[in-house]
Amino acid sequence: MKKIFLKICLISSILVLVSCASTNVTNNSKGGIRIPDTISENIPDTELAKIIFDKHVGIYSIDKVYNKKTFLGSKAGLENPLPNSLSGFNAGRTVLLEPGRHSISVTFHNGIVYTYLPNELNLKVSAGDVYKITAKIEGSRIVYDILDKDGISLSNPKGISLKQRSIETYQSEVIDKVKNGKQVRLTKGGLEWLLSLKMK
């Protein structure tokens, strides 16, 4: 009886491994999941843009097609959600999009640190090009980056830190505007400041 049980377990294990291997081969031969799924299979992958999502980067939505597992609204009314294979965080995923502008919302989860609210990334993609969306922890924030096929950052081409970007943004959006005679309104926690430079 034990030998029969062991043979059944062995055969079942082999069948599971074979089915997993065939699924991976099929997925790799397609080059990725087409979003939306209405993109014709007759369009070759070379006429679409490939987006690779790094491990730990979760896909919340792509052009208002949402991930049902992480969607924050009512899941009952959610039509045409993203395929379940795109909902994980523990492996890279690849999608194929039509050339043009796209809005992609992402989250982060590495098993210890995670984000609850999605971060929206807007990008313009070209046919035949490959892009990668990555994330890293910088201080107490998650910083997302969009890389082109050569690994060059499209969202941070200078490669500067989040702190330096904040300083440069403050310089251009507040200090430079006030120096040029414009008023700048800052608000935080219900308080409001109006900055301007009075010339004597």
Side-chain angles (χ1 to χ4, degrees):
M1 186 71 174
K2 284 185 180 179
K3 287 183 180 181
I4 293 172
F5 179 72
L6 288 173
K7 286 181 182 178
I8 291 171
C9 288
L10 181 62
I11 291 169
S12 299
S13 299
I14 290 170
L15 289 173
V16 168
L17 288 173
V18 169
S19 68
C20 289
S22 64
T23 302
N24 286 339
V25 170
T26 303
N27 194 21
N28 288 340
S29 65
K30 284 176 70 176
I33 296 173
R34 292 168 184 239
I35 303 296
D37 58 7
T38 54
I39 298 174
S40 172
E41 290 295 329
N42 296 328
I43 299 173
D45 289 357
T46 54
E47 292 182 21
L48 300 171
K50 182 183 282 190
I51 313 288
I52 300 168
F53 291 84
D54 209 0
K55 184 178 180 180
H56 307 315
V57 176
I59 305 170
Y60 182 80
S61 70
I62 299 174
D63 297 329
K64 301 196 188 268
V65 178
Y66 293 92
N67 177 348
K68 195 168 189 175
K69 289 188 177 181
T70 58
F71 183 61
L72 298 173
S74 170
K75 294 180 177 36
L78 194 60
E79 295 179 15
N80 193 23
L82 290 171
N84 285 336
S85 61
L86 296 177
S87 65
F89 287 91
N90 57 356
R93 284 128 296 134
T94 303
V95 300
L96 297 171
L97 302 175
E98 293 175 322
R101 295 196 174 277
H102 295 277
S103 174
I104 299 174
S105 292
V106 292
T107 55
F108 179 84
H109 194 306
N110 68 0
I112 300 168
V113 176
Y114 68 93
T115 59
Y116 180 69
L117 296 174
N119 193 326
E120 186 176 2
L121 306 173
N122 293 297
L123 63 156
K124 184 177 180 183
V125 297
S126 301
D129 282 351
V130 179
Y131 305 86
K132 186 172 188 178
I133 298 178
T134 64
K136 66 179 178 179
I137 301 170
E138 199 172 288
S140 61
R141 298 189 61 173
I142 304 298
V143 179
Y144 298 97
D145 205 356
I146 303 166
L147 308 176
D148 68 9
K149 62 185 175 203
D150 299 319
I152 297 170
S153 173
L154 300 175
S155 49
N156 185 13
K158 295 180 186 175
I160 58 177
S161 69
L162 181 63
K163 183 177 180 180
Q164 184 63 34
R165 274 187 280 171
S166 299
I167 292 169
E168 287 183 6
T169 301
Y170 185 78
Q171 175 74 37
S172 64
E173 295 299 315
V174 177
I175 296 174
D176 291 348
K177 286 183 179 178
V178 170
K179 278 184 180 177
N180 291 325
K182 296 181 180 175
Q183 290 186 339
V184 177
R185 188 177 306 274
L186 301 176
T187 59
K188 182 174 180 176
L191 297 175
E192 188 172 289
W193 294 272
L194 185 62
L195 304 176
S196 62
L197 185 62
K198 290 186 178 178
M199 302 297 286
K200 290 186 177 182

